[in-house]
Amino acid sequence: MSYTTTTVDSDDGMHSSIHNESPAADSISNGCRSRGKGSVLKKGPWTSTEDGILIDYVKKHGEGNWNAVQKHTSLARCGKSCRLRWANHLRPNLKKGAFSQEEEQLIVEMHAKMGNKWAQMAEHLPGRTDNEIKNYWNTRIKRRQRAGLPLYPPEIHVEDFQWSEEYTKSNIIRVDRRRHQDFLQLGNSKANVLFDDLNFAASLLPAASDLSDLVTCNMLGTGPSSSRYESYMPPILPSPKQIWESGSRFPMCSSNIKHEFQSPEHFQNTASQKNPRSCSISPCDVDHPPYGNQHSSDMMMIPDSHTVTYGMLPTSKPSFGAVKLELPSFQYSETSAFDQWKTTPSPPHSDLLDSVDAYIQSPPSSQVEESDCFSSCDTGLLDMLLHEAKIKTSAKHSLLMSSPQKSFSSTTCTTNVTQNVPRGGTLIKSGDYEDSQKNLTCSEITIPMQLSAGGISSAFAGNVVKTEEFDQVWEPKRVDTTRPDVLLASSWLDQGCYGIVRDTSSMSDALALLLGGDDTGNSYMTVGSSSGQTPRGVGSCGWTNMPPVWSL
DNA sequence: AACTACTTCAACCGCACGTAC
DNA sequence: CGTACGTGCGGTTGAAGTAGT
């Protein structure tokens, strides 16, 4: 970062040169609007002189109207910069120095409750700024990650705080607006898997109404989720080779989350044992090779953060896709996940930590997009999804209740089979609308969506998941590497999953294929597979877009 | 002492929202 | 009603500081 920059750019960092030619448009420097043509705004660290000028200004004029600072003083700083400087460093009663233990505790609790709402947290910490809190938290994340500690201490029951109705709603709205543009930029492919995942999540859980709210919230990247955390999610994944060799299915498909779900019966039986709102995840039974000896903690998710708890990386193997297809404990466990993590022995794991570090330093760029993908539905779509989820869940419910464990397990297999094997493959042409409701039976799950040229709209196309595959043993098959989605996934494996960019060409090609569309401008998106063990769409498998259904 | 790796934190950026015109 | 502006927020960046070798 060069703080010596004195650019005078066009609006919002577009860095064009029109600012001097348009009388209406003030000069803008990297998002800061400056008054007067060609004025040069200083960037970088503030000098004491500048501080003095700003303090004087505030004394005279009070806070606010920051853009006027430049007019009334000799300060060559944009209003934004002035506000930031004042708020973070110059305003009175600022507390400097390290956070006290009480403050730290409060931050942790607040974060568990509200996520990355730094400004809100700052309101509860007099003298502290949002920036300070944010920095503290980010540092904490790294520290605890390195130490192999969970993000939240055991005494913090994240689930106790989360998903308050108002919070959820407010965040859905906010993030929805914020992410919409990102979504439009993503093209259609990712939205496809968005619904894919949502569909699965909704269809596999018994409490449709409750679930759909939560799932949708999370799928939209809302709630107390944190892309920041997502950035710290470690690539604790087996290599593609490992995946092949292990016979495991594609490891990072978000639908794997379903493994975390407790059976309806179990859930009901145990619900009363704990705080009804407590839904933290306890370890599931993982005892099958090739990951038989791995600890379930490997795949613990922090409900708040969409995050695999990197803190527990020291466990044996990458696990995400290797969880036994068996029901996890969905109720709160007395031996909390955190406790488990803490007591988890730490075998050699330098490779994993290295990966984590690499990941931190060079998070795959695709993360953001994928995260955004889930954050980008408009509210109309949200309602639609909720409705859809409920319907599907109802349809599934009888199956699940008749043999919960079996059903769950089977459904999981179905997911694998349908998504990795051609039979369930469906080519979705965006712009088509198929009323999935009509197609919905106990043996089919239809994923609703439609993407229009202008972005996403509330409509459905079909992605059919056939439950006739129940109980079928999944076998790895060869991937049709000519398929764009395979290329995408492959490329993603190379880049996003492991934080290592090996070759971007395949990704580009795949994207071109996927997003290029046909002559009519419609884009095709493959949802199912056409051959072999095809990873699901790239969006469905990103760490960042895994629907945190586990937070239920 | 020199170098490297790592951490901290100030500041920037883009986006979203509210309001005035 | 649309646009411009002011402001706030959350995420990201990189210079400076620190620790380790």
Side-chain angles (χ1 to χ4, degrees), chain A residues 62-78:
Chain A
E63 295 182 42
N65 201 12
W66 296 110
N67 284 329
V69 175
Q70 201 188 335
K71 273 190 288 187
H72 297 129
T73 70
S74 57
L75 207 53
R77 296 276 185 171
C78 72

Side-chain angles (χ1 to χ4, degrees), chain A residues 141 229 377 494 508:
Chain A
I141 287 177
Y229 300 159
C377 302
D494 281 350
S508 303

